[in-house]
Amino acid sequence: MSMAPAQRSVGSSRRLTQVRDWTPTPRDHFPSPADWRNEVLYFLLPDRFSDGREDQRQLATPDAVPSMRPSSWSWEHWAQSGALRYQGGNLAGIESKLPYLAGLGITALWVAPVFKQRANTDDYHGYAIQDFLEVDPHFGTQNDLIKLVQAAHQFGIRVILDIVVNHSGVNWLYAPDVPGGPVRPDYVSPPQQLPFGAWLDRAERPTTRISDPNDGVWPVEFQDQNAYTRAGSADPGKGATDDPLAEFRRGDLMNSRDLDVMRDDVLSPLVRVWQYWIDTTDCDGFRIDTLKHLPYDAARRFCGAIKEFADSIGKHNFFIVGEMAGGDLVASRYLELLGANLDAALDINDARSALHRVARGAAPALEYFQMFAAGADPMGSHREHGNRHVSVLDDHDNVGVPKIRFAAEAPSPDQVVAAIAIVALTLGIPCIYYGTEQALSGPEREVRRWLPSWNNDRAPYADRYLREAMFGPQHPRKAGQAGLAGEAGIDTDLPGFGAYGTSGLHCFNVDSPVYEKIREILAIRKQYAALRYGRQYLRQTSLFDRPFSYPEAGELTAWSRILADSEVVCVVNTHPLDARDADIVVDSALHPPGSTLTPAFSFSDYQSIRVQGRSDGTAFIPVRNVPRSGVLILT
């Protein structure tokens, strides 16, 4: 386990209102990992993960959930709670679950934004910042964030903070007479600045003066109306990727005001804001929200300045991963142009869609694996691809795939394990979305017809079903500022948005079969360097002495990870219902006929498998009766 340097003292800190007043404090900082391919990330929303009081609640048992709901249960109210309200998760709760995460095999924690939102709104997801230099009181204090990072480091877990660079929250209004209205006016093309109206005070009323910490926006550097593009509401997909003035870059996104990052007097304080948080918290990386909305030059300058600062304090491999929706070509372009300033792209585009289909048995394995091949994938060769992308099955948005968790459509929890095995054992830096290790899936199928916007991506708040609260709140917080009033801020008129369609029940079950199997797979990944650094080859398969070929949809999918003279063979049955057999090609130089491969992990009781050969020199292993969605790792 990595040990942290001597801990800094944690005490109350004065409110910083101008980022130009900050100067770094000389201290030891926790070192970066040598290679991020060694890490396993875990992504969570602070509001939906833990409040640290699970010992006061009963454990939700998925099979028994219907009997655990009260007789007065309302699906409408449960769904309303999840769409609109803070549930009460916080930073102290995350800290309390570090043993749970370490036990699973997590080594890096990606935390959705914890920075201060507008006090009178319920932007629990954290992407609409009002004060860039404060922690949102729903989640705790700046000291709570510092303590979380320190405690994580003691467990050998690094912390990646989710940050926002290209926009703030809706902290001001346009002029009242602009077309479309002052909140979300029509986009203007060609791009030009629309008239500024007024700042919003803590009660969401227009004001010309910012005098309270909940008024307008902070720090002071962003209280200039010319710091914003003021171009109106954008179509997030409209405009050419190479155009720095494209609509998706100049216009406001939903619940945001776009910052004019092309201006030095805007980009420079943004850089200092996020350098401040590195120095203050000792975090280990950033996930940059909506990076594709930054023009290339602004993105390069921002990431380069962050990297330089991290180097200056001894964090020489500070991790920067960008969210770039819109296809692998977009992600590839940013990786190419930003070079060493951007470590990796989130794999939320074409590869994730293919991963879902292959893991469900709905597409042949080649559809996913060909994206790793040199010359076939725009994101690079099979050697460099492994440390240039973060592989995810689900996240809080599920762009490009249904806005329900993968587990919701799985015929058994084992299919979730099979999908995570593909994520963890193929090239890349694996990331697990909170609750996947418990196969969170929403309520049982027969009641989903009662749920508004279930599996309807175009409906309002469709993403709520990706965001169940693992800790099982009995009730959510009240709306707006009233929700900050301690116990008095609890809304007893609504149920909490708990896992599997419950309230008052937590689901941190370290004995669940899915948790246990994922833990074993991650332990094997840690044990064998080939599974982290090795070259990757999708293997051809055969049955009944037929010619070897790449497997069809729903058949055994096998691939090798080879590092020097070490080969690890990974096998997943992608059929959701039936067992499968196959002869699987292996490297004849490393495993000639007569040698053996031994299971390091298996859904069944496999013994060593002897390598056989065909007359043409092909070496293969006969693998039989792999159960539905079964996983086999051979070394």
Side-chain angles (χ1 to χ4, degrees):
M1 177 183 298
S2 301
M3 297 302 292
Q7 291 191 359
R8 72 193 70 180
S9 61
V10 178
S12 60
S13 59
R14 70 179 180 88
R15 171 174 157 77
L16 184 64
T17 60
Q18 299 182 118
V19 74
R20 57 179 167 263
D21 292 340
W22 162 72
T23 49
T25 305
R27 59 168 69 93
D28 290 331
H29 289 270
F30 196 73
S32 303
D35 193 316
W36 280 90
R37 287 175 294 181
N38 290 326
E39 310 305 315
V40 178
L41 279 55
Y42 186 94
F43 172 40
L44 60 84
L45 299 178
D47 180 59
R48 302 297 167 97
F49 184 63
S50 171
D51 66 353
R53 299 192 292 179
E54 290 79 13
D55 58 353
Q56 303 174 23
R57 306 183 186 106
Q58 187 178 353
L59 181 68
T61 306
D63 293 341
V65 155
S67 65
M68 302 173 90
R69 296 188 189 108
S71 58
S72 59
W73 185 257
S74 166
W75 288 113
E76 181 183 358
H77 288 165
W78 179 78
Q80 180 184 348
S81 174
L84 299 171
R85 296 295 180 81
Y86 281 93
Q87 297 296 314
N90 53 40
L91 291 164
I94 299 172
E95 183 180 343
S96 76
K97 292 297 169 290
L98 291 173
Y100 169 89
L101 296 170
L104 182 62
I106 300 304
T107 64
L109 188 59
W110 159 18
V111 182
V114 296
F115 310 101
K116 188 169 178 289
Q117 309 290 291
R118 294 205 61 77
N120 211 41
T121 60
D122 291 304
D123 293 316
Y124 67 87
H125 48 71
Y127 293 97
I129 298 174
Q130 184 260 336
D131 190 336
F132 284 80
L133 296 175
E134 286 292 329
V135 167
D136 194 286
H138 286 94
F139 304 140
T141 66
Q142 182 180 116
N143 291 334
D144 290 328
L145 181 56
I146 293 170
K147 287 173 61 181
L148 169 61
V149 177
Q150 287 181 344
H153 288 167
Q154 291 295 325
F155 277 92
I157 296 175
R158 291 178 167 85
V159 178
I160 298 167
L161 296 181
D162 201 325
I163 69 168
V164 182
V165 177
N166 81 300
H167 65 269
S168 74
V170 180
N171 299 310
W172 52 267
L173 299 174
Y174 288 86
D177 57 349
V178 298
V183 179
R184 288 189 55 78
D186 301 335
Y187 182 77
V188 214
S189 184
Q192 56 187 284
Q193 284 192 322
L194 292 170
F196 183 86
W199 300 103
L200 290 170
D201 71 7
R202 64 181 298 147
E204 306 302 305
R205 297 169 304 201
T207 181
T208 57
R209 183 181 176 191
I210 298 175
S211 57
D212 184 277
N214 295 305
D215 292 347
V217 66
W218 296 87
V220 168
E221 286 86 349
F222 300 147
Q223 294 174 6
D224 177 359
Q225 59 183 265
N226 292 317
Y228 304 88
T229 57
R230 302 206 322 256
S233 299
D235 179 337
K238 193 168 182 179
T241 304
D242 290 339
D243 179 5
L245 300 178
E247 178 174 334
F248 74 89
R249 289 200 173 106
R250 299 290 295 173
D252 300 332
L253 305 176
M254 181 71 71
N255 297 325
S256 80
R257 290 291 185 255
D258 221 53
L259 287 157
D260 194 350
V261 294
M262 305 270 288
R263 294 173 54 123
D264 287 342
D265 59 350
V266 175
L267 189 61
S268 292
L270 271 170
V271 166
R272 285 188 64 80
V273 161
W274 299 118
Q275 290 174 340
Y276 164 80
W277 283 111
I278 298 172
D279 180 57
T280 301
T281 66
D282 201 19
C283 65
D284 305 282
F286 285 156
R287 178 266 193 186
I288 302 180
D289 180 60
T290 57
L291 181 61
K292 85 160 189 174
H293 295 267
L294 292 183
Y296 297 134
D297 186 58
R300 178 185 55 79
R301 292 168 61 199
F302 177 84
C303 293
I306 294 298
K307 285 281 194 181
E308 284 191 17
F309 177 76
D311 277 336
S312 76
I313 61 173
K315 301 177 88 73
H316 297 300
N317 197 12
F318 188 85
F319 192 56
I320 299 181
V321 55
E323 180 207 28
M324 293 156 292
D328 283 351
L329 285 171
V330 174
S332 175
R333 189 73 170 138
Y334 275 84
L335 288 170
E336 174 191 1
L337 294 178
L338 271 62
N341 291 334
L342 179 63
D343 293 294
L346 277 177
D347 220 349
I348 57 172
N349 295 303
D350 306 334
R352 178 167 64 176
S353 297
L355 169 65
H356 274 231
R357 292 191 295 272
V358 170
R360 292 192 192 286
L366 195 59
E367 182 174 318
Y368 178 66
F369 282 85
Q370 69 184 359
M371 295 185 173
F372 295 96
D377 175 55
M379 292 181 71
S381 78
H382 67 299
R383 280 296 294 172
E384 69 179 1
H385 196 86
N387 61 359
R388 296 290 275 169
H389 79 122
V390 173
S391 183
V392 293
L393 179 68
D394 285 328
D395 64 16
H396 59 319
D397 291 327
N398 269 19
V399 174
V401 293
K403 289 190 180 295
I404 53 175
R405 288 175 178 263
F406 179 87
E409 295 292 297
S412 75
D414 283 341
Q415 194 175 71
V416 179
V417 178
I420 290 298
I422 298 174
V423 169
L425 303 176
T426 54
L427 280 161
I429 302 165
C431 180
I432 297 173
Y433 183 47
Y434 84 99
T436 301
E437 77 282 3
Q438 300 294 342
L440 288 198
S441 57
E444 54 272 24
R445 293 174 187 269
E446 56 268 27
V447 300
R448 292 174 187 170
R449 60 195 176 100
W450 303 108
L451 300 178
S453 73
W454 176 267
N455 202 11
N456 179 359
D457 294 356
R458 297 180 180 275
Y461 308 108
D463 49 17
R464 78 187 86 181
Y465 303 114
L466 295 164
R467 305 174 182 182
E468 298 159 275
M470 284 188 71
F471 62 97
Q474 188 71 48
H475 302 286
R477 309 301 298 180
K478 291 179 180 177
Q481 295 182 62
L484 290 168
E487 292 299 313
I490 295 175
D491 186 350
T492 57
D493 292 332
L494 288 176
F497 193 62
Y500 312 115
T502 64
S503 68
L505 305 170
H506 79 87
C507 63
F508 289 96
N509 183 7
V510 296
D511 296 320
S512 78
V514 175
Y515 180 97
E516 290 183 338
K517 289 173 181 175
I518 291 176
R519 176 176 57 193
E520 289 183 56
I521 289 169
L522 296 182
I524 293 166
R525 183 183 189 274
K526 181 178 181 180
Q527 181 180 356
Y528 292 95
L531 292 173
R532 305 190 304 277
Y533 311 129
R535 291 168 283 134
Q536 176 173 292
Y537 300 95
L538 177 65
R539 290 307 190 187
Q540 294 189 334
T541 62
S542 169
L543 198 58
F544 306 121
D545 293 325
R546 293 171 181 162
F548 284 101
S549 62
Y550 291 115
E552 297 297 322
E555 298 298 331
L556 282 191
T557 290
W559 64 98
S560 290
R561 300 294 304 274
I562 297 178
L563 183 66
D565 59 353
S566 174
E567 178 179 22
V568 180
V569 181
C570 306
V571 182
V572 171
N573 179 5
T574 61
H575 200 286
L577 302 175
D578 299 325
R580 281 293 184 265
D581 308 331
D583 294 339
I584 299 169
V585 170
V586 294
D587 191 298
S588 59
L590 298 177
H591 292 108
S595 59
T596 59
L597 285 162
T598 303
F601 175 87
S602 173
F603 270 29
S604 301
D605 186 21
Y606 278 92
Q607 304 300 316
S608 295
I609 301 177
R610 185 174 296 276
V611 179
Q612 300 181 20
R614 289 191 178 179
S615 58
D616 62 1
T618 302
F620 69 92
I621 50 172
V623 176
R624 301 291 182 263
N625 201 33
V626 178
R628 66 172 187 172
S629 302
V631 178
L632 179 62
I633 305 173
L634 298 160
T635 65

